[in-house]
Protein backbone atom coordinates (compact mmCIF):
# COMPACT_ATOMS: atom_id res chain seq x y z
CA UNK A 1 0.00 0.00 0.00
CA UNK A 2 1.26 3.44 -0.83
CA UNK A 3 1.54 6.08 1.89
CA UNK A 4 0.35 9.60 1.24
CA UNK A 5 3.06 11.74 -0.31
CA UNK A 6 3.64 15.43 0.18
CA UNK A 7 3.71 17.70 -2.86
CA UNK A 8 6.95 17.17 -4.82
CA UNK A 9 7.98 20.78 -4.14
CA UNK A 10 7.67 20.16 -0.38
CA UNK A 11 9.26 16.71 -0.26
CA UNK A 12 12.57 17.94 -1.59
CA UNK A 13 12.71 20.94 0.77
CA UNK A 14 14.60 21.13 4.07
CA UNK A 15 12.72 22.46 7.13
CA UNK A 16 13.69 26.07 7.78
CA UNK A 17 15.84 26.04 10.91
CA UNK A 18 16.25 29.37 12.67
CA UNK A 19 19.33 28.02 14.50
CA UNK A 20 19.50 30.36 17.47
CA UNK A 21 22.36 28.24 18.78
CA UNK A 22 22.65 25.90 21.75
CA UNK A 23 24.51 26.00 25.01
CA UNK A 24 24.42 24.06 28.28
CA UNK A 25 24.88 27.29 30.22
CA UNK A 26 21.66 28.49 31.81
CA UNK A 27 22.24 32.25 31.91
CA UNK A 28 22.56 32.74 28.18
CA UNK A 29 23.52 35.83 26.24
CA UNK A 30 21.49 35.51 23.06
CA UNK A 31 22.85 37.57 20.21
CA UNK A 32 21.77 35.19 17.46
CA UNK A 33 18.34 36.40 16.35
CA UNK A 34 18.48 40.20 15.85
CA UNK A 35 16.04 40.68 18.70
CA UNK A 36 15.68 44.02 20.50
CA UNK A 37 18.56 44.74 22.91
CA UNK A 38 16.45 46.49 25.53
CA UNK A 39 13.85 43.78 26.02
CA UNK A 40 10.21 44.82 25.76
CA UNK A 41 8.39 48.08 26.45
CA UNK A 42 6.97 48.14 30.00
CA UNK A 43 3.77 49.46 28.46
CA UNK A 44 3.41 46.26 26.48
CA UNK A 45 4.22 44.11 29.51
CA UNK A 46 1.56 45.96 31.52
CA UNK A 47 -0.99 45.38 28.76
CA UNK A 48 -0.15 41.67 28.81
CA UNK A 49 -0.37 41.47 32.60
CA UNK A 50 -3.90 42.82 32.54
CA UNK A 51 -4.91 40.36 29.83
CA UNK A 52 -6.37 37.75 32.16
CA UNK A 53 -9.94 37.28 31.01
CA UNK A 54 -11.66 36.25 27.80
CA UNK A 55 -8.89 33.76 27.10
CA UNK A 56 -11.67 31.42 25.99
CA UNK A 57 -12.65 33.84 23.19
CA UNK A 58 -11.26 33.86 19.67
CA UNK A 59 -9.45 37.04 18.72
CA UNK A 60 -11.14 39.33 16.20
CA UNK A 61 -10.22 38.39 12.65
CA UNK A 62 -8.98 41.95 12.16
CA UNK A 63 -7.94 44.25 14.99
CA UNK A 64 -9.13 47.71 13.96
CA UNK A 65 -7.55 49.12 17.12
CA UNK A 66 -4.09 47.85 16.21
CA UNK A 67 -4.46 48.81 12.56
CA UNK A 68 -5.48 52.33 13.58
CA UNK A 69 -2.57 52.51 16.03
CA UNK A 70 -0.14 51.55 13.24
CA UNK A 71 -1.77 54.00 10.81
CA UNK A 72 -1.47 56.82 13.36
CA UNK A 73 2.07 56.02 14.42
CA UNK A 74 3.44 55.92 10.88
CA UNK A 75 0.91 58.25 9.14
CA UNK A 76 -0.41 55.56 6.84
CA UNK A 77 -3.74 54.66 5.26
CA UNK A 78 -5.43 52.17 7.60
CA UNK A 79 -7.25 50.55 4.66
CA UNK A 80 -3.92 49.30 3.32
CA UNK A 81 -2.65 47.61 6.51
CA UNK A 82 -2.76 43.85 6.97
CA UNK A 83 -1.66 42.09 10.17
CA UNK A 84 0.13 38.77 10.27
CA UNK A 85 1.52 36.17 12.64
CA UNK A 86 4.97 37.68 12.25
CA UNK A 87 6.06 39.04 8.90
CA UNK A 88 7.10 35.45 8.20
CA UNK A 89 3.44 34.56 7.81
CA UNK A 90 2.96 37.43 5.38
CA UNK A 91 5.97 36.34 3.32
CA UNK A 92 4.45 32.91 3.13
CA UNK A 93 0.90 33.96 2.22
CA UNK A 94 2.17 36.40 -0.41
CA UNK A 95 3.83 33.52 -2.25
CA UNK A 96 0.74 31.32 -1.84
CA UNK A 97 -1.61 34.02 -3.09
CA UNK A 98 0.48 35.27 -6.00
CA UNK A 99 2.73 32.49 -7.31
CA UNK A 100 1.62 29.81 -9.73
CA UNK A 101 3.97 26.81 -10.15
CA UNK A 102 4.93 28.14 -13.59
CA UNK A 103 5.96 31.55 -12.20
CA UNK A 104 9.40 32.79 -11.24
CA UNK A 105 10.22 34.88 -8.19
CA UNK A 106 13.48 36.77 -7.76
CA UNK A 107 15.38 37.10 -4.49
CA UNK A 108 18.81 38.49 -3.78
CA UNK A 109 21.92 36.37 -3.22
CA UNK A 110 22.36 36.92 0.51
CA UNK A 111 18.73 37.88 1.06
CA UNK A 112 16.64 36.69 4.01
CA UNK A 113 16.34 32.88 3.80
CA UNK A 114 12.58 32.83 4.26
CA UNK A 115 12.23 34.21 0.74
CA UNK A 116 13.58 31.20 -1.18
CA UNK A 117 11.87 28.91 1.35
CA UNK A 118 8.44 30.46 0.79
CA UNK A 119 8.94 30.51 -2.99
CA UNK A 120 9.83 26.81 -2.97
CA UNK A 121 6.85 25.91 -0.78
CA UNK A 122 4.56 27.65 -3.28
CA UNK A 123 5.99 25.42 -6.01
CA UNK A 124 7.23 28.36 -8.11
CA UNK A 125 10.82 28.77 -9.28
CA UNK A 126 13.20 30.95 -7.24
CA UNK A 127 15.74 32.95 -9.21
CA UNK A 128 18.79 34.43 -7.50
CA UNK A 129 20.10 37.90 -8.33
CA UNK A 130 23.76 38.27 -7.36
CA UNK A 131 24.72 40.83 -4.73
CA UNK A 132 27.62 43.19 -5.19
CA UNK A 133 29.68 43.67 -2.07
CA UNK A 134 27.02 41.95 0.06
CA UNK A 135 24.49 44.51 -1.15
CA UNK A 136 21.44 43.93 -3.34
CA UNK A 137 22.13 45.10 -6.87
CA UNK A 138 19.35 46.65 -8.92
CA UNK A 139 20.89 45.86 -12.31
CA UNK A 140 21.38 42.23 -11.34
CA UNK A 141 17.77 42.02 -10.19
CA UNK A 142 16.52 43.62 -13.42
CA UNK A 143 18.63 41.27 -15.52
CA UNK A 144 16.72 38.30 -14.07
CA UNK A 145 13.29 39.55 -15.13
CA UNK A 146 11.53 37.68 -17.92
CA UNK A 147 7.92 37.03 -18.91
CA UNK A 148 7.55 34.43 -16.14
CA UNK A 149 8.63 36.78 -13.34
CA UNK A 150 5.77 37.47 -10.96
CA UNK A 151 7.41 38.73 -7.81
CA UNK A 152 10.62 40.24 -6.44
CA UNK A 153 11.67 39.96 -2.80
CA UNK A 154 13.93 42.68 -1.50
CA UNK A 155 14.81 43.05 2.18
CA UNK A 156 15.99 46.61 2.67
CA UNK A 157 17.93 46.68 4.91
CA UNK A 158 18.82 43.04 4.47
CA UNK A 159 19.35 40.27 6.99
CA UNK A 160 22.04 38.88 7.41
CA UNK A 161 24.22 41.44 5.59
CA UNK A 162 22.97 44.58 7.36
CA UNK A 163 23.38 46.53 4.11
CA UNK A 164 20.79 48.61 2.26
CA UNK A 165 20.23 50.23 -1.13
CA UNK A 166 19.44 53.92 -1.40
CA UNK A 167 16.09 55.55 -1.99
CA UNK A 168 17.25 56.44 -5.50
CA UNK A 169 18.09 52.80 -6.27
CA UNK A 170 14.79 51.53 -4.83
CA UNK A 171 12.89 54.01 -6.99
CA UNK A 172 14.97 53.06 -10.04
CA UNK A 173 14.21 49.39 -9.37
CA UNK A 174 10.50 50.04 -9.04
CA UNK A 175 10.37 52.25 -12.16
CA UNK A 176 12.14 49.59 -14.21
CA UNK A 177 9.85 46.69 -13.41
CA UNK A 178 6.60 46.04 -15.25
CA UNK A 179 3.49 46.89 -13.22
CA UNK A 180 2.35 43.24 -13.16
CA UNK A 181 5.37 42.26 -11.04
CA UNK A 182 4.89 42.53 -7.29
CA UNK A 183 7.76 44.11 -5.37
CA UNK A 184 7.83 42.73 -1.82
CA UNK A 185 9.82 45.28 0.13
CA UNK A 186 10.72 43.89 3.53
CA UNK A 187 11.59 46.76 5.86
CA UNK A 188 11.91 44.74 9.07
CA UNK A 189 14.78 46.91 10.35
CA UNK A 190 13.56 50.28 9.06
CA UNK A 191 12.92 51.77 12.50
CA UNK A 192 16.63 51.55 13.30
CA UNK A 193 17.70 53.37 10.13
CA UNK A 194 18.36 57.09 10.30
CA UNK A 195 20.11 57.56 6.92
CA UNK A 196 18.46 60.25 4.80
CA UNK A 197 18.81 58.22 1.64
CA UNK A 198 16.80 55.29 3.02
CA UNK A 199 13.09 54.69 2.35
CA UNK A 200 10.88 52.21 4.14
CA UNK A 201 8.74 51.68 1.01
CA UNK A 202 5.45 53.13 2.31
CA UNK A 203 5.55 56.07 -0.11
CA UNK A 204 5.85 53.61 -3.00
CA UNK A 205 2.81 51.73 -1.73
CA UNK A 206 0.85 55.00 -1.51
CA UNK A 207 1.56 55.69 -5.18
CA UNK A 208 1.63 52.24 -6.77
CA UNK A 209 -0.39 49.04 -6.66
CA UNK A 210 2.46 46.60 -7.18
CA UNK A 211 4.39 47.09 -3.94
CA UNK A 212 3.93 45.58 -0.51
CA UNK A 213 5.96 46.81 2.43
CA UNK A 214 6.52 44.36 5.30
CA UNK A 215 7.20 45.37 8.89
CA UNK A 216 7.58 43.56 12.19
CA UNK A 217 7.11 44.00 15.91
CA UNK A 218 9.91 41.49 16.53
CA UNK A 219 12.88 43.83 16.32
CA UNK A 220 12.57 47.41 17.56
CA UNK A 221 9.40 46.69 19.55
CA UNK A 222 10.84 43.61 21.27
CA UNK A 223 7.76 41.41 20.78
CA UNK A 224 9.29 38.53 18.80
CA UNK A 225 7.70 35.85 20.97
CA UNK A 226 4.16 37.09 20.29
CA UNK A 227 4.58 36.84 16.50
CA UNK A 228 3.27 40.09 15.10
CA UNK A 229 4.03 41.62 11.75
CA UNK A 230 2.19 43.80 9.28
CA UNK A 231 2.09 44.64 5.62
CA UNK A 232 1.17 47.80 3.71
CA UNK A 233 -0.27 47.28 0.23
CA UNK A 234 -3.13 48.02 -2.13
CA UNK A 235 -6.61 46.97 -1.07
CA UNK A 236 -6.62 44.48 -3.95
CA UNK A 237 -3.48 42.76 -2.65
CA UNK A 238 -4.76 42.93 0.92
CA UNK A 239 -8.12 41.36 0.13
CA UNK A 240 -6.41 38.47 -1.69
CA UNK A 241 -3.92 37.90 1.12
CA UNK A 242 -6.80 37.75 3.60
CA UNK A 243 -8.25 34.83 1.66
CA UNK A 244 -5.10 32.84 2.39
CA UNK A 245 -4.25 34.08 5.90
CA UNK A 246 -5.61 32.01 8.77
CA UNK A 247 -8.70 33.87 10.04
CA UNK A 248 -7.34 34.12 13.61
CA UNK A 249 -3.62 34.04 12.93
CA UNK A 250 -2.95 37.13 15.06
CA UNK A 251 -3.73 36.45 18.70
CA UNK A 252 -5.34 38.81 21.20
CA UNK A 253 -2.23 39.11 23.38
CA UNK A 254 -0.19 40.24 20.36
CA UNK A 255 -2.86 42.79 19.44
CA UNK A 256 -2.91 44.30 22.94
CA UNK A 257 0.85 44.32 23.33
CA UNK A 258 1.33 45.73 19.83
CA UNK A 259 -0.89 48.73 20.55
CA UNK A 260 0.82 49.37 23.89
CA UNK A 261 4.29 49.06 22.32
CA UNK A 262 3.42 51.54 19.58
CA UNK A 263 2.33 54.08 22.20
CA UNK A 264 5.64 53.80 24.04
CA UNK A 265 7.60 56.27 21.94
CA UNK A 266 10.23 56.63 24.67
CA UNK A 267 11.07 52.92 24.52
CA UNK A 268 11.37 53.11 20.73
CA UNK A 269 13.63 56.15 20.93
CA UNK A 270 15.78 54.54 23.61
CA UNK A 271 16.16 51.42 21.47
CA UNK A 272 17.24 53.40 18.41
CA UNK A 273 19.63 55.52 20.51
CA UNK A 274 21.08 52.38 22.10
CA UNK A 275 21.72 50.90 18.68
CA UNK A 276 23.32 54.08 17.38
CA UNK A 277 25.54 54.22 20.44
CA UNK A 278 26.72 50.61 20.30
CA UNK A 279 27.13 50.09 16.56
CA UNK A 280 30.20 52.36 16.34
CA UNK A 281 31.55 50.73 19.50
CA UNK A 282 31.27 47.29 17.85
CA UNK A 283 32.94 48.64 14.71
CA UNK A 284 35.82 50.04 16.74
CA UNK A 285 36.28 46.83 18.74
CA UNK A 286 36.12 44.60 15.65
CA UNK A 287 38.74 46.76 13.93
CA UNK A 288 40.97 46.38 16.98
CA UNK A 289 40.51 42.63 16.65
CA UNK A 290 41.41 42.96 12.95
CA UNK A 291 38.13 41.37 11.89
CA UNK A 292 36.40 42.37 8.70
CA UNK A 293 32.69 43.22 8.84
CA UNK A 294 29.92 44.75 6.73
CA UNK A 295 28.93 48.27 7.68
CA UNK A 296 25.40 47.79 8.97
CA UNK A 297 22.39 50.10 9.35
CA UNK A 298 20.52 47.46 11.35
CA UNK A 299 20.83 46.08 14.88
CA UNK A 300 23.28 43.32 13.89
CA UNK A 301 26.60 42.85 12.14
CA UNK A 302 27.98 40.30 9.70
CA UNK A 303 31.57 39.49 10.68
CA UNK A 304 34.14 37.76 8.51
CA UNK A 305 36.87 35.59 9.94
CA UNK A 306 40.38 35.37 8.49
CA UNK A 307 40.29 32.75 5.73
CA UNK A 308 43.64 31.23 6.62
CA UNK A 309 42.40 29.59 9.77
CA UNK A 310 40.36 26.54 8.99
CA UNK A 311 36.72 26.64 10.11
CA UNK A 312 37.33 29.80 12.04
CA UNK A 313 33.83 31.25 12.30
CA UNK A 314 32.31 27.86 13.10
CA UNK A 315 34.85 27.32 15.87
CA UNK A 316 34.07 30.80 17.18
CA UNK A 317 30.35 30.02 17.30
CA UNK A 318 31.15 26.88 19.29
CA UNK A 319 33.67 28.59 21.56
CA UNK A 320 31.21 31.38 22.36
CA UNK A 321 28.33 28.96 22.93
CA UNK A 322 30.43 27.06 25.45
CA UNK A 323 30.74 30.34 27.31
CA UNK A 324 27.01 31.03 27.15
CA UNK A 325 27.03 33.43 24.19
CA UNK A 326 24.87 32.56 21.20
CA UNK A 327 25.65 34.08 17.81
CA UNK A 328 24.50 32.91 14.39
CA UNK A 329 26.79 30.91 12.14
CA UNK A 330 26.20 31.67 8.48
CA UNK A 331 26.61 28.24 6.84
CA UNK A 332 22.97 28.23 5.76
CA UNK A 333 23.65 31.38 3.74
CA UNK A 334 26.68 29.76 2.11
CA UNK A 335 29.01 31.89 4.23
CA UNK A 336 30.73 29.37 6.52
CA UNK A 337 33.48 31.79 7.43
CA UNK A 338 31.09 34.45 8.75
CA UNK A 339 29.01 34.95 11.81
CA UNK A 340 26.20 37.34 12.58
CA UNK A 341 25.88 39.01 15.94
CA UNK A 342 23.04 41.20 17.22
CA UNK A 343 23.72 44.24 19.31
CA UNK A 344 22.76 43.39 22.87
CA UNK A 345 22.72 45.36 26.08
CA UNK A 346 25.90 46.90 27.49
CA UNK A 347 26.97 43.89 29.54
CA UNK A 348 26.21 41.44 26.71
CA UNK A 349 28.18 43.47 24.17
CA UNK A 350 31.22 43.79 26.41
CA UNK A 351 31.15 40.09 27.29
CA UNK A 352 30.83 39.12 23.63
CA UNK A 353 33.84 41.20 22.55
CA UNK A 354 35.88 39.97 25.53
CA UNK A 355 35.18 36.34 24.68
CA UNK A 356 35.73 36.90 20.97
CA UNK A 357 39.13 38.37 21.78
CA UNK A 358 39.91 35.40 23.95
CA UNK A 359 38.93 33.07 21.06
CA UNK A 360 41.20 34.90 18.64
CA UNK A 361 44.07 34.92 21.17
CA UNK A 362 43.80 31.14 21.57
C1 LIG B 1 14.44 40.70 6.84
C2 LIG B 1 13.51 40.01 7.77
N1 LIG B 1 12.22 39.87 7.44
C3 LIG B 1 11.36 39.25 8.25
C4 LIG B 1 11.76 38.72 9.45
C5 LIG B 1 10.77 37.96 10.28
O1 LIG B 1 10.14 38.76 11.18
P1 LIG B 1 8.93 38.24 12.06
O2 LIG B 1 9.49 37.94 13.41
O3 LIG B 1 7.96 39.38 12.06
O4 LIG B 1 8.37 37.03 11.40
C6 LIG B 1 13.09 38.82 9.85
C7 LIG B 1 13.54 38.21 11.11
O5 LIG B 1 14.67 37.97 11.36
C8 LIG B 1 13.99 39.49 8.98
O6 LIG B 1 15.27 39.59 9.29
Amino acid sequence: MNNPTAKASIEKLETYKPNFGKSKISNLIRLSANEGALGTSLNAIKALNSFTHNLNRYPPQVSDDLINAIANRYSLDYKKIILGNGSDELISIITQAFLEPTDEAIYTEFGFLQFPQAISVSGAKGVVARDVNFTANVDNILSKINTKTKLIFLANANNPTGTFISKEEVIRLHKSIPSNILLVYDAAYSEFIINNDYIDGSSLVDKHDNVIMLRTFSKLHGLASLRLGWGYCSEYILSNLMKVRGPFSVNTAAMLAGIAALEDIQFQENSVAHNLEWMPWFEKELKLLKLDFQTSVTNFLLIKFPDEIFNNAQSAVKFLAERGILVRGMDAYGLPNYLRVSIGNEEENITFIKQLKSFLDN
Side-chain angles (χ1 to χ4, degrees):
M1 246 184 4
N2 287 335
N3 289 327
T5 49
K7 293 196 302 189
S9 60
I10 302 295
E11 264 194 331
K12 61 174 190 259
L13 261 183
E14 296 282 334
T15 304
Y16 178 82
K17 296 206 184 75
N19 191 11
F20 298 139
K22 275 195 198 114
S23 173
K24 292 202 175 83
I25 296 184
S26 54
N27 199 8
L28 282 177
I29 294 179
R30 183 155 119 162
L31 303 176
S32 55
N34 309 341
E35 294 148 339
L38 302 187
T40 304
S41 144
L42 286 180
N43 242 24
I45 292 171
K46 252 193 248 157
L48 288 172
N49 283 342
S50 59
F51 174 51
T52 49
H53 48 272
N54 287 344
L55 288 174
N56 57 324
R57 303 288 179 211
Y58 283 99
Q61 183 175 18
V62 173
S63 166
D64 290 329
D65 291 344
L66 177 54
I67 285 179
N68 284 325
I70 293 170
N72 288 338
R73 175 70 183 89
Y74 299 109
S75 307
L76 300 174
D77 179 353
Y78 72 94
K79 293 194 292 302
K80 295 184 165 191
I81 296 171
I82 179 169
L83 304 175
N85 188 270
S87 38
D88 278 349
E89 183 192 35
L90 296 170
I91 292 168
S92 166
I93 63 174
I94 289 167
T95 56
Q96 290 169 50
F98 283 88
L99 292 178
E100 306 274 7
T102 47
D103 289 333
E104 292 187 3
I106 299 171
Y107 61 98
T108 61
E109 185 177 8
F110 298 114
F112 185 44
L113 273 185
Q114 283 288 1
F115 301 155
Q117 182 79 7
I119 296 166
S120 301
V121 170
S122 78
K125 181 178 169 201
V127 176
V128 189
R130 294 270 164 245
D131 280 2
V132 173
N133 227 345
F134 286 98
T135 309
N137 182 273
V138 170
D139 291 318
N140 289 350
I141 296 172
L142 294 176
S143 75
K144 295 293 174 189
I145 293 179
N146 61 39
T147 49
K148 291 185 183 161
T149 310
K150 187 70 183 287
L151 188 155
I152 298 170
F153 274 116
L154 175 68
N156 205 31
N158 182 51
N159 170 20
T161 55
T163 56
F164 78 106
I165 62 170
S166 68
K167 171 180 179 169
E168 212 179 309
E169 281 297 272
V170 173
I171 291 171
R172 182 166 80 88
L173 170 66
H174 179 262
K175 269 208 178 116
S176 312
I177 64 178
S179 60
N180 64 329
I181 294 181
L182 176 60
L183 175 62
V184 183
Y185 187 89
D186 183 343
Y189 300 93
S190 57
E191 290 97 340
F192 289 108
I193 307 177
I194 53 155
N195 306 51
N196 287 332
D197 58 346
Y198 174 77
I199 48 168
D200 68 9
S202 53
S203 57
L204 279 179
V205 176
D206 282 329
K207 286 188 225 124
H208 306 280
D209 287 344
N210 66 334
V211 184
I212 174 162
M213 171 184 73
L214 297 182
R215 301 280 286 268
T216 179
F217 279 82
S218 300
K219 310 299 175 184
L220 182 89
H221 294 292
L223 290 176
S225 74
L226 292 178
R227 312 306 300 122
L228 184 59
W230 54 282
Y232 192 57
C233 55
S234 73
E235 290 177 63
Y236 171 83
I237 296 175
L238 191 149
S239 68
N240 281 290
L241 294 181
M242 283 305 285
K243 296 174 195 169
V244 183
R245 202 202 73 164
F248 307 112
S249 75
V250 179
N251 66 76
T252 313
M255 290 171 183
L256 293 173
I259 295 167
L262 282 174
E263 283 167 358
D264 193 347
I265 304 285
Q266 191 60 57
F267 178 81
Q268 296 160 40
E269 287 177 357
N270 290 348
S271 301
V272 174
H274 176 87
N275 204 53
L276 293 175
E277 178 189 342
W278 284 94
M279 184 58 86
W281 181 86
F282 262 85
E283 291 178 346
K284 184 185 81 195
E285 294 294 325
L286 292 172
K287 277 183 192 150
L288 286 174
L289 295 177
K290 300 197 168 33
L291 287 174
D292 219 358
F293 57 89
Q294 285 304 310
T295 302
S296 168
V297 291
T298 62
N299 65 335
F300 58 84
L301 276 156
L302 183 66
I303 304 174
K304 184 179 184 211
F305 279 70
D307 287 23
E308 313 88 67
I309 312 168
F310 181 62
N311 255 353
N312 216 214
Q314 287 165 32
S315 318
V317 171
K318 194 160 163 272
F319 178 95
L320 293 166
E322 281 161 7
R323 284 148 191 85
I325 302 166
L326 301 182
V327 294
R328 177 89 194 258
M330 290 283 106
D331 315 23
Y333 282 88
L335 297 168
N337 210 31
Y338 290 73
L339 66 77
R340 191 194 65 199
V341 60
S342 333
I343 291 184
N345 65 32
E346 175 172 354
E347 193 189 334
E348 292 169 336
N349 297 338
I350 291 170
T351 310
F352 165 72
I353 290 290
K354 194 172 131 213
Q355 291 297 349
L356 186 60
K357 181 168 185 322
S358 131
F359 168 78
L360 293 167
D361 288 345
N362 255 334

